Amino acid sequence: MILFLVSILSHLLLCVSDDRLTPGEFISSNESLVSDGSAFALGFFSPTNSSSDLYLGVWYNNMPQKTVVWVANREKPITNSPAVLRISNDSNLIVTDSVGLIFWSSNLSGIGTPGNNTVAVLLNTGNLVLREDSNGILWQSFDHPTDTFLPGMKIQYNYSSHLDKFFRSWKDEKEPAPGNFSFGIDSNNSLQVMTWLGPKIYWRSQVWSGNLFSGALGPNSTSVTYLTIIADEDSILMQMTVSDISAYIRYTLSYSGQLQLLSWDNGSELWQIYASGPVNNCEKYGWCGQFAYCDGTESVPSCKCLKGFQPKLQSEWDAGNYSAGCIRMKVLKCGEGDGFLKMEGMKLPDQFVFLRNRSITDCRSECMANCSCTAYAYSELNMGSNMVPRCLVWMGELIDTGMLSSKGEDLYLRLMDITSGIPGVQCVFFHGNHCSIVAGH
Ligand SMILES: *[C@@H]1O[C@H](CO)[C@@H](O)[C@H](O)[C@H]1NC(C)=O
Ligand SMILES: *[C@@H]1O[C@H](CO)[C@@H](O)[C@H](O)[C@H]1NC(C)=O
Ligand SMILES: *[C@@H]1O[C@H](CO)[C@@H](O)[C@H](O)[C@H]1NC(C)=O
Ligand SMILES: *[C@@H]1O[C@H](CO)[C@@H](O)[C@H](O)[C@H]1NC(C)=O
Ligand SMILES: *[C@@H]1O[C@H](CO)[C@@H](O)[C@H](O)[C@H]1NC(C)=O
Ligand SMILES: *[C@@H]1O[C@H](CO)[C@@H](O)[C@H](O)[C@H]1NC(C)=O
Ligand SMILES: *[C@@H]1O[C@H](CO)[C@@H](O)[C@H](O)[C@H]1NC(C)=O
Ligand SMILES: *[C@@H]1O[C@H](CO)[C@@H](O)[C@H](O)[C@H]1NC(C)=O
Ligand SMILES: *[C@@H]1O[C@H](CO)[C@@H](O)[C@H](O)[C@H]1NC(C)=O
Ligand SMILES: *[C@@H]1O[C@H](CO)[C@@H](O)[C@H](O)[C@H]1NC(C)=O
Ligand SMILES: *[C@@H]1O[C@H](CO)[C@@H](O)[C@H](O)[C@H]1NC(C)=O
Ligand SMILES: *[C@@H]1O[C@H](CO)[C@@H](O)[C@H](O)[C@H]1NC(C)=O
């Protein structure tokens, strides 16, 4: 009996202390590495119990249901054969079947023979790192994400080399192969993130205003998560950090195209969806058409024309086809009787131009001076030690606008005859030819 216990214990100890692989070592189908700290495990899995398809993946350790956060050979499962992960003779991490056929490789060329110090380690962040003392990190799974964005992971967009990292959904819940949806930084504007359905934009985040997201997670959690974007002259970097590193938090792009922020609830032993988008058609990119917005302050979000605009094709609009959008009730006459209407609590439209180093007065007068400028928005971004002004102007149509129940921004909309009153607009105060309305009116 004692011997039996000892053997179980030694087996357990072997498992929990094994967070790394060195040249000559390998793990096979039924084995796994567990990070030092036990948060994550690396090993082979099959998404369905019936299937014999094997994938190498990383999942949360000690969790009743297997939640996979990274998959290596997502396009090439090993079928009907035992699988092996090891460090190859040229220092790559490779996944092979029983006869040595390579199903996945870290694909680094010209590294040479693995030295004594080459090692693959599963870190407690869920990052699988291949490193060598002299060269530091050779490869890491955080640079090659699948569908999940974890705390500590960085997505970088490099303007000059157009190097970016995109997340790609699974095909469906049982198939890790790349699916229909992808997620990443918008390469045109780089102040927002997007999901795509194939080549088309499917959903767009709010324009970055300092912190894309921050807040307590879930009713009983004291943990706070921050999504920060650091932009400089040649690249842009997005990173998620969590105040309590023991909390399990992730962004996952589901196979049906929803970008979800999930946190693990210890009480119910379930993932709680903390934020998700899009949750209805109205929130999908451009669903409401030009010069319209999705009103998310209502219990059932719906498309509405911006103030001073009316449906372009009323019958289509009434029938629930919003694609034609809205048109002005009063045509702009540049410089004569036009002004800005402030709409509060908005998700700012897409296709803006970011003007650097402008004050709010500069921002407004620059928009005023250009006859094709239809709107502007201004805020100050908190970039650590300094405040960076963010002046956005729109030339032409406004697309994918929203009204939010919280964390919206002010959008200044150029309209004709603003001071003489526009149907549906109640002016709360005037500043010259500058009229404001309260969100929701
Ligand atoms: C894993 O499977 C192999 C054969 O497929 C077996 O020899 C080995 O003992 C198994 N290891 C564990 C830890 O179960
Ligand atoms: C796979 O098997 C495990 C244990 O037998 C079970 O808990 C789990 O629900 C099964 N998963 C599926 C998708 O059938
Ligand atoms: C790797 O190196 C070992 C020892 O040098 C050798 O026996 C083995 O054949 C090599 N494997 C491959 C795939 O080249
Ligand atoms: C490795 O490189 C080959 C050839 O360039 C490519 O076909 C393959 O998709 C790459 N594999 C991975 C996992 O990137
Ligand atoms: C490291 O490499 C040297 C020479 O290649 C060898 O003698 C030594 O045994 C190796 N050490 C370990 C721990 O493998
Ligand atoms: C961006 O790409 C350029 C050209 O490849 C490179 O010189 C620069 O170091 C890169 N910047 C970052 C932050 O990766
Ligand atoms: C960039 O903008 C152009 C024109 O608005 C659009 O056609 C293209 O799809 C955009 N690219 C991305 C990656 O969003
Ligand atoms: C969840 O519960 C386990 C034990 O039940 C505990 O060890 C762990 O710290 C808890 N995690 C969090 C985030 O509260
Ligand atoms: C992905 O797109 C294909 C082709 O349009 C479609 O048949 C399939 O149902 C889509 N999958 C999901 C999960 O939406
Ligand atoms: C939060 O805590 C309260 C009281 O401690 C408990 O009744 C409730 O079920 C908890 N909610 C969740 C989601 O765990
Ligand atoms: C929606 O309206 C547009 C015209 O704006 C038309 O081309 C399109 O066919 C309509 N779609 C449907 C589903 O009726
Ligand atoms: C920003 O504008 C101010 C005043 O217009 C000017 O003094 C400053 O040099 C500008 N800074 C940059 C980085 O262009």
Side-chain angles (χ1 to χ4, degrees):
M1 181 61 193
I2 285 168
L3 273 179
F4 178 70
L5 264 181
V6 167
S7 101
I8 286 181
L9 277 176
S10 68
H11 181 74
L12 283 177
L13 282 175
L14 200 94
C15 281
V16 290
S17 64
D18 246 359
D19 68 340
R20 61 194 60 211
L21 212 56
T22 54
E25 293 181 330
F26 61 89
I27 59 167
S28 51
S29 314
N30 53 3
E31 293 165 323
S32 57
L33 300 181
V34 173
S35 63
D36 181 17
S38 308
F40 289 93
L42 166 79
F44 291 96
F45 72 99
S46 180
T48 55
N49 288 345
S50 55
S51 147
S52 58
D53 290 353
L54 285 176
Y55 297 90
L56 177 75
V58 172
W59 56 86
Y60 293 92
N61 195 34
N62 304 322
M63 201 171 271
Q65 77 248 48
K66 188 170 277 180
T67 306
V68 175
V69 296
W70 180 75
V71 185
N73 54 325
R74 65 186 305 192
E75 287 170 83
K76 239 178 149 184
I78 296 174
T79 50
N80 301 314
S81 166
V84 166
L85 170 72
R86 61 182 180 88
I87 297 173
S88 69
N89 281 8
D90 63 356
S91 282
N92 272 299
L93 264 177
I94 55 168
V95 171
T96 67
D97 65 3
S98 57
V99 296
L101 264 178
I102 296 179
F103 282 70
W104 175 84
S105 159
S106 52
N107 253 4
L108 297 163
S109 54
I111 305 177
T113 51
N116 278 344
N117 301 322
T118 306
V119 60
V121 187
L122 178 64
L123 304 180
N124 207 40
T125 52
N127 192 7
L128 175 63
V129 176
L130 180 67
R131 67 182 179 216
E132 197 172 39
D133 277 353
S134 51
N135 293 329
I137 292 174
L138 302 173
W139 179 93
Q140 54 183 333
S141 63
F142 270 18
D143 285 343
H144 304 270
T146 52
D147 65 342
T148 300
F149 184 37
L150 291 171
M153 203 182 259
K154 294 170 183 168
I155 356 181
Q156 186 150 27
Y157 182 78
N158 189 328
Y159 302 128
S160 47
S161 64
H162 292 276
L163 268 182
D164 46 26
K165 278 165 202 152
F166 286 122
F167 297 81
R168 190 79 185 267
S169 66
W170 284 29
K171 206 159 208 162
D172 59 45
E173 62 190 321
K174 289 172 183 152
E175 223 189 316
N180 293 344
F181 296 93
S182 53
F183 160 65
I185 293 173
D186 174 16
S187 53
N188 281 344
N189 274 323
S190 65
L191 282 173
Q192 51 194 11
V193 296
M194 290 184 159
T195 57
W196 288 267
L197 170 54
K200 293 173 77 176
I201 302 170
Y202 184 67
W203 177 85
R204 184 179 65 98
S205 70
Q206 272 179 268
V207 183
W208 186 63
S209 61
N211 273 327
L212 252 191
F213 175 82
S214 85
L217 278 166
N220 291 355
S221 173
T222 52
S223 165
V224 177
T225 178
Y226 305 93
L227 201 58
T228 48
I229 296 184
I230 300 159
D232 62 26
E233 290 306 309
D234 59 19
S235 80
I236 183 152
L237 188 74
M238 186 169 115
Q239 184 169 15
M240 175 166 44
T241 45
V242 180
S243 62
D244 171 11
I245 53 157
S246 69
Y248 291 159
I249 286 155
R250 63 188 165 109
Y251 277 94
T252 293
L253 181 60
S254 78
Y255 63 87
S256 55
Q258 285 184 7
L259 184 66
Q260 300 177 322
L261 176 60
L262 299 137
S263 75
W264 179 253
D265 181 58
N266 240 358
S268 64
E269 296 205 319
L270 287 173
W271 286 100
Q272 304 272 344
I273 299 176
Y274 191 71
S276 181
V279 294
N280 48 49
N281 281 336
C282 184
E283 287 181 5
K284 287 181 185 167
Y285 185 83
W287 182 265
C288 296
Q290 60 167 3
F291 298 113
Y293 65 98
C294 172
D295 188 351
T297 64
E298 307 218 318
S299 53
V300 179
S302 63
C303 293
K304 290 182 179 166
C305 287
L306 289 167
K307 298 298 174 193
F309 290 79
Q310 63 195 14
K312 187 173 180 191
L313 300 171
Q314 189 71 51
S315 58
E316 293 284 2
W317 184 274
D318 292 342
N321 178 0
Y322 307 104
S323 61
C326 303
I327 50 166
R328 287 182 189 280
M329 292 174 186
K330 290 183 179 172
V331 175
L332 283 178
K333 279 184 250 151
C334 189
E336 280 177 62
D338 55 349
F340 292 102
L341 174 76
K342 176 167 139 193
M343 290 191 77
E344 294 178 3
M346 305 301 283
K347 172 183 172 182
L348 300 177
D350 194 17
Q351 295 174 6
F352 48 81
V353 178
F354 175 29
L355 301 177
R356 289 171 194 275
N357 200 23
R358 304 293 202 283
S359 69
I360 186 162
T361 332
D362 298 341
C363 191
R364 179 183 147 83
S365 48
E366 208 140 335
C367 184
M368 199 56 165
N370 185 331
C371 286
S372 22
C373 184
T374 48
Y376 75 91
Y378 179 86
S379 78
E380 279 169 2
L381 310 184
N382 189 347
M383 307 280 270
S385 54
N386 54 338
M387 300 298 281
V388 175
R390 194 207 63 186
C391 166
L392 305 178
V393 296
W394 283 263
M395 304 291 168
E397 66 174 34
L398 303 177
I399 192 87
D400 198 46
T401 313
M403 185 177 275
L404 308 169
S405 42
S406 69
K407 297 193 178 122
E409 294 190 58
D410 297 341
L411 175 68
Y412 294 88
L413 192 61
R414 189 181 211 150
L415 292 176
M416 195 62 198
D417 286 345
I418 190 166
T419 48
S420 66
I422 290 152
V425 171
Q426 199 193 348
C427 288
V428 177
F429 61 86
F430 294 88
H431 283 310
N433 55 355
H434 178 173
C435 179
S436 294
I437 56 157
V438 179
H441 281 230

